[in-house]
Amino acid sequence: MKEVAVIGVGMTKFGELWQKSFRDIFVEAALKAIENSGVDHIDSMYIGTMSSGLFVGQEHIGAVMADYLGVTPIPATRVESACASGGAAFRQAYFEVASGHSEIILAGGVEKMTDGADVTEALATAADQEYEVYNGITFPGLYAMIATAHMHQYKTTREQLAHVAVKNHKNGSMNPNAQFSFPVTLEQVMKSTMVADPLRLLDCSPVSDGGAAAIVCSLDYAKKLKKPYVKVIASAQASDTIALHSRESLTALKCVSIAAEKAYKQAGLKPTDINFAEVHDCFTIAEIVVTEDLGFFEKGKGGAAAENGVTSIEGKIPVNTSGGLKSKGHPVGATGIAQIIECYEQLTGNSGERQVKNAKIGLAQNMGGSGASCIIHILEAI
Amino acid sequence: MITPRYHREIPQRHRLEAGKCKQCGHISFPPRLVCPKCKSKSFETVNLSREGKILTFTIIRVGPDKFSKETPYVVAIIELSEGRSANAGVRLTAQIADCDVDKVEIGDKVKLVFRKIQDEGKSGLHCYGYKAVII
């Protein structure tokens, strides 16, 4: 297997991009990444998008994007793993380079969620349509049931959930690409509209448009280009039951702990070796559970860690320095790539006010559904 | 809900038919072609008991359009009394009907009842299934 690097990245601002089409959002991000990397061509591309068919009535995304990016006839493939589609696209690019089949690949992700589709219904297709959604559950509802169980089992508090939102908004307020680049107070979170008890509006990631792209190439090629690059030292993925109710534990995400174990093994690292992480905080409870299942904290201590500032930029293990899905926004298919972008920028020292001191190793954890799929990458500064 | 998709699930939704693995005894609801525990492909059909308890729940305050008349409503993960395996019962997701939404608690005993769940558009089928009531 060849060693793999990320040589350049680009993204659109995340938000309600009324003036921009689905395809233009992707092309804007892809062009930025190509320009940023300095490559003169790409050999193929993978595009993560969760539900373009429901959101904008368009499938066959590989061809649409190759056409509009002006790169036909290169191979272009759409990759889907619900909210982990971006991470899955990146992983395909990683494999294609690692295998030696291609030298330079564009891994992108895009979603256009504000064109009028029923977003709650579209997102719910990532759960068990016949045995969860049929009976009236929603996505916030699934994570709310995880939160109820976690609060019951570990005495996680409502305030601890709110601390995740406060921290991520604070980080996002320093990110020019964030959808919600403003801070929120604990009181604002605690008083926001109840969506699915105990989760309130400010516990939920927003509905977003956005695109993100990364240029993946062999380490040898990256060295020749003389541009900042980072090394991909692990790529791991795991699956779990589609229905939350089928899992043995309702307070742990097994796909996360299994993918993490594989990723740490591949990189030869322990959780304590990770300097910062971008994790899939689609809801505040998700960040708490995921940081536990990544091995950063003992089971049941994730809430206290958020409350005590352990996951803040100045903390022991900064989490979601970009603002996370919560504040940066969550254009579903783009999220996994945007996490890679934050890692790239942190590891190349380009995160400005959000910069983590001595950031050498970053982890990106992208998750689909209520934890039915998880993709983890670990990146290292050169 | 699309008619053939609804029709196909009637044995599960109306009669709670599950698949019991002939090799290891694990009960799958809905039935599957492969046992998730022992990978056997041989099953017998069993009807689930209708009694169980709430493992976790939420109150849906912002719901999909088709459930707007019921909002707010409680959805719970329920563990039924019969053993799915040595230490856990069969679990499913269902609405808790006929309750004060603010008084539902983890551990509440429930029984499953036959109810209308949703409609197929404005002029299609009424779609039925199970909800739970607290006992």
Side-chain angles (χ1 to χ4, degrees):
Chain A
M1 293 251 291
K2 284 195 173 187
E3 292 191 289
V4 178
V6 176
I7 188 78
V9 297
M11 66 184 281
T12 66
K13 186 178 165 59
F14 284 1
E16 295 177 349
L17 309 180
W18 302 108
Q19 303 302 329
K20 292 179 184 176
S21 69
F22 176 62
R23 58 188 79 175
D24 286 351
I25 291 169
F26 174 79
V27 171
E28 182 185 325
L31 288 174
K32 281 183 183 169
I34 291 169
E35 189 187 345
N36 177 249
S37 67
V39 297
D40 60 3
H41 74 287
I42 52 174
D43 295 321
S44 77
M45 63 179 188
Y46 292 94
I47 303 130
T49 185
M50 177 197 161
S51 203
S52 55
L54 292 176
F55 287 131
V56 294
Q58 180 74 60
E59 307 286 17
H60 206 178
I61 303 312
V64 172
M65 297 314 184
D67 183 5
Y68 275 75
L69 184 58
V71 295
T72 52
I74 68 162
T77 309
R78 180 251 187 100
V79 180
E80 189 273 318
S81 188
C83 322
S85 298
F90 186 82
R91 187 164 150 85
Q92 301 316 308
Y94 169 86
F95 283 139
E96 191 167 326
V97 170
S99 72
H101 189 275
S102 300
E103 194 93 80
I104 312 165
I105 317 282
L106 187 146
V110 59
E111 213 76 61
K112 175 77 185 168
M113 300 170 73
T114 63
D115 268 5
D118 184 334
V119 175
T120 305
E121 207 168 285
L123 292 176
T125 60
D128 186 329
Q129 192 61 238
E130 305 294 358
Y131 287 89
E132 291 182 308
V133 181
Y134 178 80
N135 289 327
I137 198 65
T138 60
F139 245 86
L142 285 166
Y143 278 93
M145 292 202 292
I146 295 175
T148 306
H150 204 274
M151 291 164 88
H152 182 77
Q153 186 170 348
Y154 297 114
K155 309 293 170 229
T156 299
T157 66
R158 198 23 279 197
E159 286 76 9
Q160 288 171 343
L161 298 177
H163 278 286
V164 173
V166 171
K167 170 194 58 93
N168 289 353
H169 270 266
K170 186 182 171 199
N171 294 351
S173 72
M174 297 181 275
N175 184 349
N177 287 323
Q179 178 168 3
F180 294 150
S181 53
F182 52 81
V184 297
T185 63
L186 200 66
E187 197 188 6
Q188 281 175 304
V189 182
M190 298 291 283
K191 285 188 174 167
S192 60
T193 308
M194 191 66 92
V195 174
D197 301 49
L199 299 182
R200 294 173 178 273
L201 187 63
L202 288 176
D203 290 294
C204 307
S205 56
V207 171
S208 319
D209 304 330
I215 306 296
V216 181
C217 65
S218 67
L219 194 63
D220 294 338
Y221 190 88
K223 283 175 186 165
K224 282 187 235 160
L225 269 180
K226 299 185 172 39
K227 289 248 185 173
Y229 63 93
V230 302
K231 199 170 150 184
V232 185
I233 57 172
S235 174
Q237 182 171 351
S239 58
D240 202 351
T241 64
I242 186 73
L244 175 64
H245 61 236
S246 302
R247 306 196 192 135
E248 277 160 40
S249 171
L250 300 173
T251 53
L253 296 163
K254 207 167 151 190
C255 67
V256 178
S257 49
I258 289 175
E261 195 182 326
K262 287 190 203 172
Y264 293 140
K265 194 178 168 197
Q266 187 189 347
L269 298 172
K270 304 183 297 295
T272 47
D273 296 323
I274 304 297
N275 300 134
F276 68 94
E278 284 289 299
V279 311
H280 199 94
D281 61 323
C282 45
F283 300 94
T284 49
I285 183 63
E287 179 168 317
I288 289 174
V289 177
V290 167
T291 50
E292 293 169 358
D293 293 334
L294 286 171
F296 297 158
F297 311 115
E298 206 181 302
K299 205 61 213 162
K301 301 282 165 79
E307 184 172 16
N308 298 331
V310 185
T311 53
S312 70
I313 290 178
E314 304 76 26
K316 199 173 143 207
I317 170 79
V319 172
N320 285 328
T321 54
S322 68
L325 285 56
K326 175 70 208 76
S327 159
K328 183 181 56 195
H330 183 27
V332 184
T335 284
I337 302 291
Q339 294 178 325
I340 298 286
I341 293 178
E342 181 69 7
C343 290
Y344 177 87
E345 291 186 336
Q346 286 287 353
L347 294 171
T348 52
N350 280 319
S351 293
E353 293 177 89
R354 312 194 305 282
Q355 186 64 47
V356 174
K357 281 187 192 139
N358 301 316
K360 297 286 177 224
I361 294 174
L363 180 148
Q365 180 268 340
N366 193 196
M367 187 156 65
S370 60
S373 58
C374 176
I375 295 162
I376 294 178
H377 288 95
I378 303 178
L379 294 92
E380 185 180 25
I382 296 298
Chain B
M1 183 50 50
I2 293 159
T3 307
R5 240 175 66 201
Y6 172 66
H7 189 264
R8 220 175 279 131
E9 306 300 325
I10 281 177
Q12 287 74 53
R13 294 198 176 125
H14 292 200
R15 301 192 291 277
L16 290 171
E17 285 185 10
K20 185 174 185 180
C21 175
K22 284 186 179 168
Q23 187 167 294
C24 76
H26 180 85
I27 297 172
S28 290
F29 180 78
R32 299 167 175 237
L33 298 178
V34 182
C35 174
K37 288 293 164 198
C38 75
K39 315 303 170 199
S40 158
K41 298 180 191 70
S42 179
F43 294 90
E44 62 178 311
T45 300
V46 294
N47 290 82
L48 298 178
S49 75
R50 290 187 170 262
E51 293 199 0
K53 63 174 184 193
I54 294 175
L55 294 184
T56 187
F57 69 96
T58 182
I59 308 166
I60 305 288
R61 311 260 179 191
V62 180
D65 292 347
K66 63 180 119 178
F67 292 101
S68 59
K69 281 184 195 158
E70 288 119 297
T71 310
Y73 58 93
V74 176
V75 178
I77 292 180
I78 293 158
E79 183 169 76
L80 298 180
S81 328
E82 66 263 81
R84 172 180 68 170
S85 56
N87 49 15
V90 175
R91 293 174 179 182
L92 46 77
T93 299
Q95 286 185 37
I96 307 296
D98 308 342
C99 66
D100 178 343
V101 297
D102 295 314
K103 296 217 167 120
V104 175
E105 286 187 29
I106 288 177
D108 281 353
K109 297 265 191 295
V110 297
K111 93 176 162 198
L112 296 180
V113 291
F114 181 74
R115 288 292 167 92
K116 192 179 94 170
I117 308 293
Q118 53 173 272
D119 293 320
E120 183 193 33
K122 287 195 173 114
S123 53
L125 290 181
H126 295 308
C127 298
Y128 294 89
Y130 46 84
K131 289 187 183 182
V133 291
I134 294 170
I135 48 176

mmCIF file of all heavy atoms in Angstrom, chain A residues 330-351:
data_model
loop_
_atom_site.group_PDB
_atom_site.id
_atom_site.type_symbol
_atom_site.label_atom_id
_atom_site.label_comp_id
_atom_site.label_asym_id
_atom_site.label_seq_id
_atom_site.Cartn_x
_atom_site.Cartn_y
_atom_site.Cartn_z
ATOM 1 N N HIS A 330 -24.398 21.594 8.723
ATOM 2 C CA HIS A 330 -24.357 20.161 8.407
ATOM 3 C C HIS A 330 -25.036 19.881 7.066
ATOM 4 O O HIS A 330 -26.093 19.270 7.012
ATOM 5 C CB HIS A 330 -25.024 19.382 9.554
ATOM 6 C CG HIS A 330 -25.005 17.902 9.411
ATOM 7 N ND1 HIS A 330 -24.040 17.205 8.704
ATOM 8 C CD2 HIS A 330 -25.854 16.946 9.884
ATOM 9 C CE1 HIS A 330 -24.302 15.912 8.763
ATOM 10 N NE2 HIS A 330 -25.399 15.723 9.462
ATOM 11 N N PRO A 331 -24.405 20.363 5.961
ATOM 12 C CA PRO A 331 -24.878 19.929 4.647
ATOM 13 C C PRO A 331 -24.432 18.471 4.518
ATOM 14 O O PRO A 331 -23.246 18.197 4.270
ATOM 15 C CB PRO A 331 -24.132 20.844 3.677
ATOM 16 C CG PRO A 331 -22.995 21.440 4.431
ATOM 17 C CD PRO A 331 -23.202 21.210 5.893
ATOM 18 N N VAL A 332 -25.342 17.565 4.745
ATOM 19 C CA VAL A 332 -25.018 16.191 5.147
ATOM 20 C C VAL A 332 -23.817 15.571 4.424
ATOM 21 O O VAL A 332 -22.851 15.162 5.059
ATOM 22 C CB VAL A 332 -26.263 15.287 4.999
ATOM 23 C CG1 VAL A 332 -25.987 13.896 5.496
ATOM 24 C CG2 VAL A 332 -27.425 15.887 5.773
ATOM 25 N N GLY A 333 -23.883 15.515 3.085
ATOM 26 C CA GLY A 333 -22.805 14.856 2.334
ATOM 27 C C GLY A 333 -21.461 15.555 2.444
ATOM 28 O O GLY A 333 -20.414 14.935 2.278
ATOM 29 N N ALA A 334 -21.472 16.854 2.721
ATOM 30 C CA ALA A 334 -20.222 17.628 2.768
ATOM 31 C C ALA A 334 -19.515 17.503 4.114
ATOM 32 O O ALA A 334 -18.313 17.780 4.230
ATOM 33 C CB ALA A 334 -20.512 19.097 2.473
ATOM 34 N N THR A 335 -20.262 17.099 5.138
ATOM 35 C CA THR A 335 -19.731 17.142 6.507
ATOM 36 C C THR A 335 -18.436 16.351 6.691
ATOM 37 O O THR A 335 -17.481 16.848 7.289
ATOM 38 C CB THR A 335 -20.829 16.677 7.492
ATOM 39 O OG1 THR A 335 -21.753 17.752 7.633
ATOM 40 C CG2 THR A 335 -20.265 16.307 8.854
ATOM 41 N N GLY A 336 -18.388 15.130 6.186
ATOM 42 C CA GLY A 336 -17.193 14.296 6.381
ATOM 43 C C GLY A 336 -15.954 14.920 5.776
ATOM 44 O O GLY A 336 -14.843 14.814 6.322
ATOM 45 N N ILE A 337 -16.120 15.585 4.637
ATOM 46 C CA ILE A 337 -14.976 16.247 3.994
ATOM 47 C C ILE A 337 -14.611 17.522 4.758
ATOM 48 O O ILE A 337 -13.438 17.839 4.935
ATOM 49 C CB ILE A 337 -15.291 16.578 2.516
ATOM 50 C CG1 ILE A 337 -15.668 15.304 1.741
ATOM 51 C CG2 ILE A 337 -14.105 17.294 1.864
ATOM 52 C CD1 ILE A 337 -14.550 14.323 1.511
ATOM 53 N N ALA A 338 -15.604 18.245 5.237
ATOM 54 C CA ALA A 338 -15.330 19.464 6.001
ATOM 55 C C ALA A 338 -14.531 19.136 7.273
ATOM 56 O O ALA A 338 -13.687 19.929 7.716
ATOM 57 C CB ALA A 338 -16.636 20.172 6.350
ATOM 58 N N GLN A 339 -14.783 17.962 7.842
ATOM 59 C CA GLN A 339 -13.997 17.538 9.020
ATOM 60 C C GLN A 339 -12.533 17.338 8.630
ATOM 61 O O GLN A 339 -11.616 17.735 9.363
ATOM 62 C CB GLN A 339 -14.552 16.226 9.579
ATOM 63 C CG GLN A 339 -15.950 16.351 10.165
ATOM 64 C CD GLN A 339 -16.483 15.016 10.668
ATOM 65 O OE1 GLN A 339 -16.200 13.960 10.069
ATOM 66 N NE2 GLN A 339 -17.236 15.038 11.746
ATOM 67 N N ILE A 340 -12.307 16.725 7.453
ATOM 68 C CA ILE A 340 -10.937 16.520 6.960
ATOM 69 C C ILE A 340 -10.278 17.889 6.734
ATOM 70 O O ILE A 340 -9.101 18.094 7.033
ATOM 71 C CB ILE A 340 -10.961 15.715 5.633
ATOM 72 C CG1 ILE A 340 -11.579 14.322 5.845
ATOM 73 C CG2 ILE A 340 -9.569 15.648 4.996
ATOM 74 C CD1 ILE A 340 -10.727 13.321 6.573
ATOM 75 N N ILE A 341 -11.062 18.840 6.221
ATOM 76 C CA ILE A 341 -10.529 20.182 5.960
ATOM 77 C C ILE A 341 -10.073 20.844 7.264
ATOM 78 O O ILE A 341 -8.991 21.431 7.335
ATOM 79 C CB ILE A 341 -11.585 21.058 5.228
ATOM 80 C CG1 ILE A 341 -11.816 20.499 3.812
ATOM 81 C CG2 ILE A 341 -11.154 22.530 5.190
ATOM 82 C CD1 ILE A 341 -12.870 21.234 2.991
ATOM 83 N N GLU A 342 -10.882 20.735 8.317
ATOM 84 C CA GLU A 342 -10.477 21.319 9.596
ATOM 85 C C GLU A 342 -9.186 20.662 10.092
ATOM 86 O O GLU A 342 -8.284 21.352 10.589
ATOM 87 C CB GLU A 342 -11.593 21.177 10.644
ATOM 88 C CG GLU A 342 -11.259 21.795 12.005
ATOM 89 C CD GLU A 342 -11.173 23.327 12.007
ATOM 90 O OE1 GLU A 342 -11.506 23.947 10.980
ATOM 91 O OE2 GLU A 342 -10.758 23.891 13.038
ATOM 92 N N CYS A 343 -9.094 19.354 9.950
ATOM 93 C CA CYS A 343 -7.862 18.660 10.362
ATOM 94 C C CYS A 343 -6.671 19.178 9.558
ATOM 95 O O CYS A 343 -5.599 19.457 10.098
ATOM 96 C CB CYS A 343 -7.996 17.149 10.169
ATOM 97 S SG CYS A 343 -9.139 16.373 11.329
ATOM 98 N N TYR A 344 -6.863 19.307 8.239
ATOM 99 C CA TYR A 344 -5.778 19.791 7.359
ATOM 100 C C TYR A 344 -5.324 21.183 7.796
ATOM 101 O O TYR A 344 -4.126 21.455 7.911
ATOM 102 C CB TYR A 344 -6.284 19.812 5.912
ATOM 103 C CG TYR A 344 -5.293 20.352 4.904
ATOM 104 C CD1 TYR A 344 -4.351 19.518 4.303
ATOM 105 C CD2 TYR A 344 -5.299 21.704 4.549
ATOM 106 C CE1 TYR A 344 -3.436 20.019 3.368
ATOM 107 C CE2 TYR A 344 -4.396 22.207 3.621
ATOM 108 C CZ TYR A 344 -3.462 21.365 3.036
ATOM 109 O OH TYR A 344 -2.562 21.861 2.123
ATOM 110 N N GLU A 345 -6.300 22.048 8.046
ATOM 111 C CA GLU A 345 -5.936 23.428 8.405
ATOM 112 C C GLU A 345 -5.264 23.500 9.767
ATOM 113 O O GLU A 345 -4.291 24.233 9.949
ATOM 114 C CB GLU A 345 -7.173 24.328 8.322
ATOM 115 C CG GLU A 345 -7.577 24.485 6.860
ATOM 116 C CD GLU A 345 -8.702 25.455 6.623
ATOM 117 O OE1 GLU A 345 -9.500 25.682 7.560
ATOM 118 O OE2 GLU A 345 -8.786 25.961 5.492
ATOM 119 N N GLN A 346 -5.761 22.730 10.718
ATOM 120 C CA GLN A 346 -5.116 22.692 12.041
ATOM 121 C C GLN A 346 -3.685 22.154 11.914
ATOM 122 O O GLN A 346 -2.753 22.705 12.501
ATOM 123 C CB GLN A 346 -5.915 21.790 13.006
ATOM 124 C CG GLN A 346 -7.224 22.393 13.510
ATOM 125 C CD GLN A 346 -7.029 23.499 14.536
ATOM 126 O OE1 GLN A 346 -5.920 23.757 15.002
ATOM 127 N NE2 GLN A 346 -8.114 24.163 14.891
ATOM 128 N N LEU A 347 -3.520 21.101 11.142
ATOM 129 C CA LEU A 347 -2.208 20.426 11.066
ATOM 130 C C LEU A 347 -1.200 21.209 10.230
ATOM 131 O O LEU A 347 0.009 21.004 10.348
ATOM 132 C CB LEU A 347 -2.375 19.008 10.503
ATOM 133 C CG LEU A 347 -3.175 18.044 11.393
ATOM 134 C CD1 LEU A 347 -3.474 16.747 10.656
ATOM 135 C CD2 LEU A 347 -2.429 17.747 12.692
ATOM 136 N N THR A 348 -1.708 22.115 9.361
ATOM 137 C CA THR A 348 -0.781 22.951 8.598
ATOM 138 C C THR A 348 -0.663 24.346 9.231
ATOM 139 O O THR A 348 -0.076 25.256 8.651
ATOM 140 C CB THR A 348 -1.238 23.081 7.121
ATOM 141 O OG1 THR A 348 -2.602 23.507 7.090
ATOM 142 C CG2 THR A 348 -1.104 21.761 6.377
ATOM 143 N N GLY A 349 -1.278 24.509 10.417
ATOM 144 C CA GLY A 349 -1.133 25.764 11.173
ATOM 145 C C GLY A 349 -1.912 26.934 10.593
ATOM 146 O O GLY A 349 -1.529 28.090 10.753
ATOM 147 N N ASN A 350 -3.026 26.640 9.893
ATOM 148 C CA ASN A 350 -3.783 27.703 9.225
ATOM 149 C C ASN A 350 -5.149 27.957 9.835
ATOM 150 O O ASN A 350 -6.063 28.384 9.138
ATOM 151 C CB ASN A 350 -3.966 27.329 7.746
ATOM 152 C CG ASN A 350 -2.718 27.636 6.958
ATOM 153 O OD1 ASN A 350 -2.081 28.668 7.167
ATOM 154 N ND2 ASN A 350 -2.344 26.729 6.076
ATOM 155 N N SER A 351 -5.306 27.668 11.128
ATOM 156 C CA SER A 351 -6.641 27.805 11.715
ATOM 157 C C SER A 351 -6.865 29.139 12.420
ATOM 158 O O SER A 351 -7.892 29.314 13.079
ATOM 159 C CB SER A 351 -6.910 26.643 12.673
ATOM 160 O OG SER A 351 -6.991 25.446 11.934
#
